Every structure is written in C-alpha cells, then in structure tokens.
C-alpha cells in the first residue's frame, strides 16, 4: 500500500490526513495546495491530472454520470451520521481497517458507520 496517492477534499481535517499517512498513503490536502474554496471542476481537474484517489464528504462527487467509475483514479465519499471530525475519522478508520484504498481505484465508494458500497467500472452496463 505504500505510496498510493490520495487527495483529501477541504472538508476533511488534518487528523484524517495524518491517519492516511500513518497507514502508508501519500495524502495531500486541498488546503495544503491552496485549493480551498475552488470549484469542484477545478479540484477534479487537479485530482485527475495528479492521478490521486479523492476522499471527500461532498455529495456532488456521487454523480456516476459525471464521475463514471473507470474514468478516474477513484472516489471515497465518507457519509458519517455526525459532521464532526471524530465521526468522520471513525468511518475512515473502519474503511482502512477493512481494505486498502488501492482496491477502490477507479471506483466510486460510499462509506458510513455500517459499511462501504462500491460502484465498480462497467457495473450495471
């Protein structure tokens, strides 16, 4: 899992970035790159250009018509019941305990406290 490149959207905390780094991921934050407040289009262009797997809370990235699985590096949407950093961290930790993010490359995954739903490339076509 070493070196898998991840980008955290601005709605994730420094503690989430640290968790990913502790698990061996190369995690960069939108805030660290001066992209906070950028449109989804600007962020997405950067994610794709850098070949990074996106971790976000933003439901806009759940549109499989716009972000079709198999056409991008991958997206993990964290859907914690509470918007707190600790609740989001618990969901992210659960995902990381269950799988490597590399296994979600090219997919759209939506994770909450109970599980992770994965939409893989070409599913349902």
């Amino acid at each position: 899992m070493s070196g898998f490149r991840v980008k955290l959207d601005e709605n994730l905390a420094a503690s989430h970035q640290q968790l990913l780094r502790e698990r061996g991921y190369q995690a960069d934050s939108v805030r660290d790159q001066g992209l906070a407040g950028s449109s989804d289009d600007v962020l997405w262009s950067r994610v794709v250009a850098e070949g990074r797997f996106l971790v976000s809370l933003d439901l806009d990235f759940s549109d499989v018509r716009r972000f079709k699985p198999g056409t991008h590096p991958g997206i993990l949407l964290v859907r914690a019941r509470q918007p707190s950093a600790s609740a989001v961290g618990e969901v992210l930790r659960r995902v990381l305990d269950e799988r490597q993010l590399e296994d979600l490359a090219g997919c759209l995954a939506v994770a909450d406290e109970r599980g992770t739903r994965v939409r893989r490339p070409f599913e349902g076509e």
Side-chain angles (χ1 to χ4, degrees):
M1 122 171 81
S2 64
F4 189 71
R5 296 163 44 97
V6 178
K7 183 170 303 290
L8 282 83
D9 202 350
E10 66 186 316
N11 49 23
L12 284 110
S15 60
H16 305 132
Q17 183 177 14
Q18 184 60 34
L19 172 62
L20 286 161
R21 287 180 174 172
E22 288 170 1
R23 299 289 181 104
Y25 294 100
Q26 203 180 82
D28 285 343
S29 163
V30 167
R31 278 189 305 272
D32 293 345
Q33 295 181 317
L35 294 173
S38 295
S39 70
D40 288 348
D41 289 335
V42 169
L43 169 59
W44 188 247
S45 293
R46 188 73 169 262
V47 165
V48 172
E50 294 175 3
R52 289 189 179 268
F53 182 91
L54 178 66
V55 180
S56 181
L57 307 181
D58 187 343
L59 279 177
D60 290 342
F61 290 106
S62 67
D63 183 351
V64 293
R65 294 165 302 189
R66 184 169 176 208
F67 305 102
K68 185 177 177 183
T71 65
H72 55 72
I75 302 168
L76 172 62
L77 291 177
V78 179
R79 304 302 305 152
R81 287 185 194 142
Q82 301 295 320
S84 69
S86 62
V88 170
E90 286 178 29
V91 173
L92 185 57
R93 192 170 291 103
R94 183 194 57 70
V95 171
L96 295 173
D97 287 345
E98 291 178 358
R99 68 182 76 222
Q100 296 180 0
L101 293 182
E102 292 92 316
D103 296 338
L104 300 174
C107 299
L108 167 64
V110 181
D112 60 21
E113 290 82 0
R114 293 165 294 177
T116 306
R117 295 177 310 283
V118 180
R119 177 85 182 253
R120 299 197 178 277
F122 310 112
E123 188 174 295
E125 291 185 40

